[in-house]
Amino acid sequence: MKLATLRAGKDTTAAVLVSDDTAYLALPYPDVGTMVADPQWRRTADSVVSGQRSANGVSASAAELTALLPAAGKVICCGLNYSEHIQEMGRELPEYPTLFAKYADTLTGARDTIDVVGSERVDWEAELAVVVGSPLYRADEEQALQAIAGYTVANDVSMRDWQNRTLQWFQGKAFDATTPVGPVMITPDEVEGDFEVRGYVNGELVQAGNTGTLVFGPAKLLSYISQFTVLRPGDLILTGTPGGVGMGMKPPRFLQDGDLLTTEIAGIGRLENRIRLHHNDGRATYSAPVTSTATN
Amino acid sequence: MKLATLRAGKDTTAAVLVSDDTAYLALPYPDVGTMVADPQWRRTADSVVSGQRSANGVSASAAELTALLPAAGKVICCGLNYSEHIQEMGRELPEYPTLFAKYADTLTGARDTIDVVGSERVDWEAELAVVVGSPLYRADEEQALQAIAGYTVANDVSMRDWQNRTLQWFQGKAFDATTPVGPVMITPDEVEGDFEVRGYVNGELVQAGNTGTLVFGPAKLLSYISQFTVLRPGDLILTGTPGGVGMGMKPPRFLQDGDLLTTEIAGIGRLENRIRLHHNDGRATYSAPVTSTATN
């Protein structure tokens, strides 16, 4: 099953992809994160699918995708996780995963424009991401595997100038609405083997990696994280990026205003995000009260 | 005004300290974070205080304090921020704040026992923390100052073994229910000048610093963070710790099972947390669904 979060007027709705991936049917949840928190969500989705009428559907091409998990409680990312890339850099494989955190505000939709204010070194990081489906605390790998609700595509877009201002990466990784996630979450029963993760800039392939070469695969990561903090349904774990980021190129290459960033995992789908760079003119732009967990 | 979050049966309630700090009166909000999100909260609190009857009060000594902000959307911490400490280490003052993130799950109450599983290098970091009272996005320092709901005491208890496993500190900083916050939030109108921050282990003074020596004071920090991510009412910013942490001692000193960690800021209050260290026996302890934003 493939699930998405769609815009629906001022609100959002979870939806399931049907009819050979050509149409979405709305589900009675505001988003995929809320959906997976309901232990009965599969039964609900099955009944919507089996009772489907074409009148209910939205064509996949017309559907407006928004952030898959707009209210994720935790978004935890792993760095330095592709063994091929680590070894080609001449480093030893790490004993522990390098982890850092973001917030739901960092996430955005699969087709959304990514507006970046005040960075001149915007880089890409194509990644497989894992949606947590059941609570996990001090879980072993088998329990962690069972707790995976599904897999999705993410790009951990990184403001390298901010990331490297200090030793801690957080500030370069947590710009609001800069990490696209989607277009769908695919459930584990539809997954066969490993994933091919690819990143493109203006159609040019810049990154490729196979998740079979992850040092810490999804179950290992979830188990490890759950040793110190509880994971809940709708939390999102980004598994790291393969070689080919702009910062590593000689000379380094960064995203330019107007570039199209494409992130693709065969079998799940593709993110297509236009990059817009905005100069920080130093003028404070205090916006009126922000009431949503805004992704726009 | 001094505000706290108290346990009230299975629930929690925001409360205001009255009668020369000897009693709490319950306020119609589940916690201080929810309270500050209501633009009318001061009026509500004023009317509760002016209409107070002793029958409504809970004596301060009997009140059960819980995490001040159990549902904080963002808990962002600053490292390396006390200029005296930086200079005594022979380093230059930083141009940018070193920032890292935690989650509400990391927080715990002012008198709660801190149970740590699987770390043998548990260290202390006494800190002033700032509660955000209004939405902030790309705000200047004056706007940031106006958006401060109040100040509180925190201890960024750090699992140094986990913190130093990789370059990113997050995993050693985000153990569930290990960062005590409270006992109260004091509103800015009651604050005069800078704060003296002190940390004690079993009554022995180990840390002391004055927030007048912060490289990035509260308003600077909030303004800086708001350049990349929105801050909302109830978010919490930890401002960093002065010299005297256990890791910096020769030889290094860490908290032992049964130690009493005291964190104090004159004019705000004192955290008193007993430390309990638990061996990680490697046995997965999958707990049944965790439904709250648990701090216990």
Side-chain angles (χ1 to χ4, degrees), chain A residues 133-290:
Chain A
S134 317
L136 280 177
Y137 190 60
R138 301 190 64 206
D140 64 23
E141 288 181 35
E142 180 55 32
Q143 291 165 332
L145 190 66
Q146 296 303 322
I148 293 173
Y151 301 90
T152 187
V153 186
N155 200 307
D156 178 22
V157 170
S158 301
M159 281 37 86
R160 303 295 189 196
D161 37 6
W162 288 68
Q163 182 184 342
N164 294 323
R165 282 181 172 181
T166 73
L167 292 175
Q168 298 303 298
W169 302 344
F170 168 70
Q171 62 189 271
K173 297 281 197 175
F175 274 51
D176 279 2
T178 57
T179 296
V181 178
V184 297
M185 176 190 88
I186 186 171
T187 51
D189 56 291
E190 296 198 8
V191 171
E192 291 174 16
D194 301 316
F195 295 101
E196 276 291 324
V197 179
R198 291 203 169 85
Y200 303 81
V201 177
N202 299 328
E204 174 194 349
L205 181 70
V206 288
Q207 289 192 276
N210 186 291
T211 60
T213 70
L214 286 173
V215 181
F216 306 97
K220 265 202 170 69
L221 271 182
L222 268 62
S223 169
Y224 185 89
I225 294 167
S226 83
Q227 302 308 310
F228 63 89
T229 190
V230 62
L231 293 173
R232 295 193 182 81
D235 287 346
L236 186 69
I237 310 300
L238 275 66
T239 62
T241 200
V245 299
M247 187 174 62
M249 294 181 172
K250 293 177 182 176
R253 174 180 168 184
F254 299 105
L255 291 166
Q256 302 299 309
D257 185 54
D259 277 354
L260 181 67
L261 180 65
T262 304
T263 318
E264 188 175 61
I265 297 182
I268 306 180
R270 184 190 303 146
L271 311 173
E272 288 187 319
N273 301 90
R274 186 72 59 184
I275 305 294
R276 289 289 174 202
L277 305 184
H278 305 272
H279 188 63
N280 188 339
D281 55 11
R283 192 185 47 170
T285 54
Y286 177 78
S287 54
V290 181

Side-chain angles (χ1 to χ4, degrees), chain B residues 24-84:
Chain B
Y24 284 104
L25 294 177
L27 298 175
Y29 305 98
D31 59 73
V32 169
T34 308
M35 182 192 77
V36 298
D38 175 7
Q40 304 300 319
W41 77 263
R42 280 166 172 279
R43 186 176 305 180
T44 303
D46 282 339
S47 97
V48 167
V49 171
S50 64
Q52 72 180 274
R53 297 186 302 264
S54 59
N56 289 342
V58 177
S59 85
S61 56
E64 290 185 60
L65 296 156
T66 185
L68 191 69
L69 304 159
K74 289 174 187 159
V75 181
I76 300 179
C77 309
C78 183
L80 311 172
N81 200 14
Y82 277 83
S83 56
E84 287 178 352

Side-chain angles (χ1 to χ4, degrees), chain A residues 74-75 97 101-103 105 135 137-138 165 167-169 171 176 224 228-230 232 280 284-286 292, chain B residues 74-75 97 102-103 105 135 137-138 165 167-169 171 176 224 228-230 232 280 284-286 292:
Chain A
K74 289 173 187 159
V75 181
K102 344 189 152 202
Y103 296 108
D105 282 322
Y137 190 60
R138 301 190 64 206
R165 282 181 172 181
L167 292 175
Q168 298 303 298
W169 302 344
Q171 62 189 271
D176 279 2
Y224 185 89
F228 63 89
T229 190
V230 62
R232 295 193 182 81
N280 188 339
T285 54
Y286 177 78
S292 76
Chain B
K74 289 174 187 159
V75 181
K102 352 188 145 198
Y103 296 108
D105 282 321
Y137 191 59
R138 300 190 65 208
R165 282 181 173 181
L167 291 175
Q168 298 302 298
W169 302 343
Q171 62 189 270
D176 279 0
Y224 185 89
F228 63 89
T229 189
V230 63
R232 293 193 183 81
N280 188 338
T285 53
Y286 177 78
S292 76

